[in-house]
Amino acid sequence: DAKTTQPTSMDCAEGRAANLPCNHSTISGNEYVYWYRQIHSQGPQYIIHGLKNNETNEMASLIITEDRKSSTLILPHATLRDTAVYYCIASTQGGSEKLVFGKGTKLTVNP
Amino acid sequence: GAVVSQHPSRVICKSGTSVKIECRSLDFQATTMFWYRQFPKQSLMLMATSNEGSKATYEQGVEKDKFLINHASLTLSTLTVTSAHPEDSSFYICSARDNGRIGYTFGSGTRLTVV
């Protein structure tokens, strides 16, 4: 799996957009960018994933650069419940492909 | 859909005893499940890959005789921490993938405290 690097922590005001960056400069052509988040003392939750194109779902948007070396997860209107550790992972989509977590970004949404 | 149930959520055991943690996929079949361990303020560390009907694959540095994994059916994997010691106290999390869905689903975790 390609190694990813993320800032250790970020802060965001409630109601504003939270933009979480991720560098994955060694990502291979068949690896997707996955985002998960972990709220304190819970299991991680899948957010979104993408290969080349930008993606959007009910939770977030994912912007992937054209060279695929970095991406940004966007939470358009952050709420206090979005406070969590966000993990960016590069992985293939094979059913037995293991997910290896980095240190992630601790996002704190402030009132 | 794609729910993974983990039990128990919390367990306290005495040093030297064994503890079993169950991970069930409730609405899908999982030929592969994964077990992670997480210490306070740290990221998830993959311990092993559990394969239905065959031996688990352990990550480097994880003792297979201490962390016994059994994946006897397509919906159940168990992790047994044998001869537990205080340093085994941690948050253990399992995950599985429904091949019809995107991403992996994680259990809610088990907080193990060894006293």
Side-chain angles (χ1 to χ4, degrees):
Chain A
D1 289 345
K3 181 178 171 60
T4 62
T5 55
Q6 300 175 251
T8 302
S9 63
M10 293 183 66
D11 282 82
C12 174
E14 188 178 19
R16 305 296 293 269
N19 298 296
L20 290 86
C22 177
N23 285 323
H24 32 79
S25 58
T26 60
I27 195 169
S28 61
N30 64 343
E31 286 183 315
Y32 289 71
V33 179
Y34 285 86
W35 283 84
Y36 286 79
R37 72 179 182 184
Q38 185 180 24
I39 295 170
H40 183 62
S41 294
Q42 296 183 24
Q45 174 192 25
Y46 166 82
I47 301 173
I48 198 168
H49 81 297
L51 183 64
K52 297 180 189 177
N53 301 320
N54 299 336
E55 302 288 344
T56 296
N57 63 21
E58 64 279 4
M59 291 183 69
S61 293
L62 174 61
I63 308 298
I64 302 174
T65 58
E66 195 169 337
D67 62 8
R68 300 207 330 122
K69 292 185 177 181
S70 65
S71 61
T72 301
L73 178 74
I74 301 172
L75 307 179
H77 305 286
T79 70
L80 299 180
R81 288 181 296 179
D82 292 322
T83 292
V85 179
Y86 287 76
Y87 296 98
C88 166
I89 302 170
S91 178
T92 66
Q93 274 200 328
S96 60
E97 181 75 15
K98 53 190 180 184
L99 287 182
V100 177
F101 286 77
K103 296 183 178 180
T105 296
K106 174 65 190 295
L107 174 69
T108 302
V109 180
N110 300 303
Chain B
V3 176
V4 172
S5 173
Q6 196 171 333
H7 179 80
S9 57
R10 289 178 179 273
V11 58
I12 300 174
C13 72
K14 290 185 177 179
S15 221
T17 62
S18 296
V19 173
K20 180 184 285 188
I21 302 169
E22 293 187 348
C23 179
R24 293 181 185 272
S25 55
L26 296 188
D27 50 359
F28 66 99
Q29 294 182 331
T31 54
T32 305
M33 292 185 176
F34 303 91
W35 287 96
Y36 294 83
R37 180 168 57 181
Q38 186 175 34
F39 292 109
K41 299 188 186 299
Q42 293 187 23
S43 184
L44 286 80
M45 185 193 78
L46 180 65
M47 299 176 66
T49 302
S50 171
N51 304 299
E52 188 269 335
S54 65
K55 291 182 180 180
T57 304
Y58 291 82
E59 295 299 304
Q60 191 172 8
V62 178
E63 299 175 59
K64 62 179 181 180
D65 294 330
K66 179 167 183 65
F67 299 100
L68 301 179
I69 292 173
N70 183 280
H71 194 153
S73 79
L74 287 171
T75 59
L76 174 65
S77 175
T78 60
L79 168 68
T80 301
V81 182
T82 63
S83 187
H85 291 285
E87 56 265 32
D88 297 324
S89 298
S90 188
F91 192 52
Y92 292 86
I93 308 168
C94 69
S95 77
R97 184 165 183 261
D98 179 354
N99 288 331
R101 290 180 168 270
I102 296 165
Y104 289 76
T105 303
F106 288 79
S108 54
T110 297
R111 176 78 56 193
L112 170 64
T113 303
V114 184
V115 298

